[in-house]
Amino acid sequence: TATATATAPAATAAVAQGLSGVRELFSRRFLCTTLVLWFLWFANALIYYGLVLFTPIFLNQTVVGDSAQSFDSDNQMYIDVLVSTMGELPGVLVAALLIDLIGRRYTQSLMFASLSLYTCLLLVPSNSQWTYVLLCFLARGLSMGVYCATYAYTPELYPTRIRSVGLGLCVSASKVASVLSPFISNVLIEVSPTIPISIFASLSLASSLLILVLRETSEDDLE
């Protein structure tokens, strides 16, 4: 009982501190940063998980019009998906190299813009299956790389007193996107592959521009 009595004020204080942090996230100083970060995390998750689900379906189809012509045998499809998935490792390495070389903002802007380009190229008809595998390889790598860069960048934009609250709400925004991604990748592709590809490309392009609204933190000291 004594322990419970002692714990209650501490719990109340923690809740009050959390609510204070949430209010500060929407203060004039941090409002723009918070809203842009929510969009970036939402876009990152929707694109990344969307591509994870989209790739095996897409690589088993052509994208000439709205037809769904089988590309290859099942065994070959597994190989294609494996190859495209392997793009995530170099994507992370490229992001780790660029983030200190050209800065946090420009790394994410460049990778988002490239991701938009490569997803758009998936709409271009090709007679070579490996063209699509290569584009999926690049898209998966860029989506993973920019996701990691955003994860590293986000805590640097908030002072210590609200950093955990700010990052936690960003992660929450990404979870909403991860719930929506199966609908976009698995359902809308049955209508037309153009729909999910257009969504991925549009979100990537918007993110590449919005990230430039935020400040660069590579030379800053954490508050």
Side-chain angles (χ1 to χ4, degrees):
T1 304
T3 303
T5 303
T7 304
T12 302
V15 171
Q17 184 178 4
L19 292 176
S20 175
V22 172
R23 285 195 297 270
E24 189 170 358
L25 289 175
F26 292 95
S27 66
R28 179 174 298 182
R29 178 184 176 188
F30 294 110
L31 178 60
C32 178
T33 298
T34 297
L35 295 179
V36 171
L37 284 175
W38 283 8
F39 180 86
L40 293 177
W41 278 79
F42 181 91
N44 265 318
L46 191 66
I47 295 166
Y48 175 74
Y49 292 112
L51 285 172
V52 168
L53 297 170
F54 175 82
T55 301
I57 302 173
F58 178 78
L59 289 178
N60 199 40
Q61 298 177 353
T62 60
V63 284
V64 179
D66 289 332
S67 63
Q69 177 184 349
S70 179
F71 237 155
D72 213 328
S73 67
D74 289 341
N75 289 338
Q76 185 61 44
M77 185 190 72
Y78 293 135
I79 295 173
D80 295 343
V81 172
L82 175 62
V83 171
S84 64
T85 303
M86 290 172 63
E88 294 187 9
L89 177 59
V92 173
L93 296 177
V94 168
L97 175 65
L98 291 179
I99 203 168
D100 287 323
L101 189 63
I102 64 176
R104 276 69 161 151
R105 292 188 313 153
Y106 290 127
T107 295
Q108 293 172 81
S109 182
L110 177 62
M111 296 187 81
F112 270 127
S114 300
L115 179 56
S116 180
L117 172 63
Y118 291 132
T119 50
C120 283
L121 289 177
L122 289 172
L123 295 172
V124 179
S126 173
N127 293 324
S128 172
Q129 181 181 1
W130 286 104
T131 299
Y132 294 119
V133 174
L134 176 61
L135 290 172
C136 288
F137 177 93
L138 294 170
R140 290 284 296 270
L142 288 165
S143 64
M144 173 55 83
V146 74
Y147 208 159
C148 292
T150 302
Y151 209 118
Y153 176 61
T154 298
E156 298 177 345
L157 290 169
Y158 291 124
T160 301
R161 63 184 179 276
I162 59 172
R163 184 170 297 128
S164 59
V165 176
L167 180 60
L169 290 176
C170 287
V171 172
S172 298
S174 73
K175 299 307 179 185
V176 174
S178 65
V179 171
L180 296 176
S181 60
F183 172 75
I184 293 173
S185 296
N186 291 23
V187 177
L188 294 183
I189 193 175
E190 298 299 329
V191 179
S192 172
T194 302
I195 299 176
I197 290 173
S198 299
I199 292 173
F200 300 149
S202 299
L203 286 175
S204 298
L205 182 60
S207 298
S208 73
L209 299 175
L210 275 176
I211 187 66
L212 299 177
V213 172
L214 303 178
R215 63 184 174 88
E216 178 57 52
T217 60
S218 56
E219 302 296 330
D220 292 353
D221 294 325
L222 294 179
E223 293 185 37

